[in-house]
Amino acid sequence: MSQVIRIEDVWKYYDGRAVVKGISLSVNKNERFVIIGPSGSGKSTMLRMMNMLVRPDKGRVFFKDVELTSPGVNPIEYRKKIGIVFQHYNLFLHMTVLKNVMFGLVKVKGMSQELAKKRAMSALESVRIGKNLWDKYPSQLSGGEQQRVAIARALAMEPEVMLFDEPTSALDPELTGEVLEVMKELARGGMTMVVVTHELGFAASVGSRIAFIDSGELVEEGTPKEVLFSPKKDRTRAFLEKMWELYKIEPEW
């Protein structure tokens, strides 16, 4: 399989404290790579290094064969190919749903208003945001609807990879299901995805590979069956026991 994203021995420090400690991993085309771990373990920081929203203090980041950490490379050009959806929707509150999705197409890709509108409408339909919502403002939408608009905005740019940074953590269970179903449809369509999440059900059913990160370190990596149901490391097992307890599922080990 061809690699799309690769990080090599990346480190990140805040106030002298390492929050990501020498992690190396790669994401292949059409893969659904899921990152799990406790809060504050460095998952989101590592994810944002994949499209250089956060620049590592040490180590290298590659998109295909291009080193994004090289001094001669402008990472902004490559962010067009690496979409990201955040925990908080980051929609423009003064713009309608349709205008939110059109914005990047016009400002970043230089599309005409007419073409951008067609692309935006198609993206919104793909995440089940109907025409009745296109002229509404974010404050008039539910949290699940806002997050699906944020996904549509990223999809409209036609990225090669989608990064999701805990996209359901701010939502109640019913709205979480709406967003996860859209993500599952993207996965079924072959979208290359990297997802930071606490949703173990999603990780088990959709993930092709799982990484468990704790205290800024990559503890364990493998298939969902290997990591979620037969973890080799005691730290992974301890974390999962608490998580499965929330789901009322008895682990096999």
Side-chain angles (χ1 to χ4, degrees):
M1 300 180 87
S2 59
Q3 289 183 351
V4 182
I5 291 177
R6 185 170 84 255
I7 62 175
E8 295 181 352
D9 193 26
V10 293
W11 291 73
K12 187 65 186 177
Y13 297 86
Y14 289 116
D15 299 323
R17 182 176 69 89
V19 294
V20 175
K21 305 172 184 176
I23 291 178
S24 298
L25 55 81
S26 61
V27 180
N28 297 317
K29 184 177 174 61
N30 303 128
E31 191 167 39
R32 287 91 57 206
F33 195 102
V34 180
I35 302 167
I36 62 172
S39 297
S41 59
K43 306 185 301 296
S44 292
T45 299
M46 189 193 72
L47 185 81
R48 293 175 189 216
M49 284 195 279
M50 290 183 178
N51 74 344
M52 297 292 286
L53 280 177
V54 172
R55 179 174 281 274
D57 294 311
K58 290 193 289 185
R60 302 194 297 172
V61 178
F62 292 84
F63 176 74
K64 296 185 175 178
D65 295 325
V66 178
E67 184 187 344
L68 302 184
T69 39
S70 174
V73 172
N74 180 2
I76 293 174
E77 288 301 309
Y78 291 90
R79 286 189 200 130
K80 299 174 187 176
K81 302 177 183 181
I82 310 172
I84 187 164
V85 176
F86 300 97
Q87 173 182 345
H88 299 291
Y89 329 117
N90 291 359
L91 299 176
F92 296 113
L93 299 180
H94 64 289
M95 291 185 184
T96 65
V97 164
L98 189 60
K99 292 290 187 183
N100 260 283
V101 181
M102 290 173 59
F103 182 81
L105 298 172
V106 175
K107 293 295 183 182
V108 178
K109 288 209 164 186
M111 278 189 185
S112 68
Q113 291 284 333
E114 183 181 358
L115 185 56
K117 186 175 182 179
K118 287 181 180 177
R119 176 82 65 81
M121 290 190 296
S122 176
L124 286 165
E125 287 171 347
S126 75
V127 299
R128 304 180 191 172
I129 296 292
K131 294 179 181 179
N132 60 310
L133 298 179
W134 294 354
D135 291 327
K136 293 189 179 297
Y137 291 87
S139 62
Q140 297 174 291
L141 274 55
S142 71
E145 288 166 344
Q146 289 186 62
Q147 190 61 291
R148 283 185 282 145
V149 172
I151 293 172
R153 181 176 59 183
L155 287 175
M157 301 292 285
E158 296 188 328
E160 295 184 43
V161 185
M162 284 283 284
L163 310 179
F164 292 89
D165 188 5
E166 301 197 41
T168 61
S169 61
L171 303 175
D172 64 36
E174 185 176 9
L175 300 180
T176 291
E178 291 179 10
V179 173
L180 290 179
E181 189 53 43
V182 166
M183 293 171 64
K184 288 176 183 178
E185 288 178 7
L186 291 177
R188 288 192 285 267
M191 172 64 74
T192 305
M193 305 166 66
V194 185
V195 184
V196 171
T197 186
H198 291 294
E199 297 289 339
L200 295 189
F202 175 86
S205 62
V206 176
S208 52
R209 205 148 44 102
I210 311 286
F212 172 63
I213 292 175
D214 184 41
S215 300
E217 298 179 334
L218 178 59
V219 177
E220 192 160 351
E221 181 185 345
T223 66
K225 184 176 181 180
E226 291 167 341
V227 176
L228 297 180
F229 301 103
S230 302
K232 296 181 177 64
K233 304 289 186 178
D234 290 341
R235 180 65 191 97
T236 313
R237 190 176 295 115
F239 171 79
L240 288 169
E241 282 174 350
K242 291 181 180 178
M243 294 296 291
W244 287 130
E245 190 176 318
L246 294 175
Y247 284 89
K248 307 298 184 194
I249 294 174
E250 193 72 33
E252 295 176 6
W253 60 83

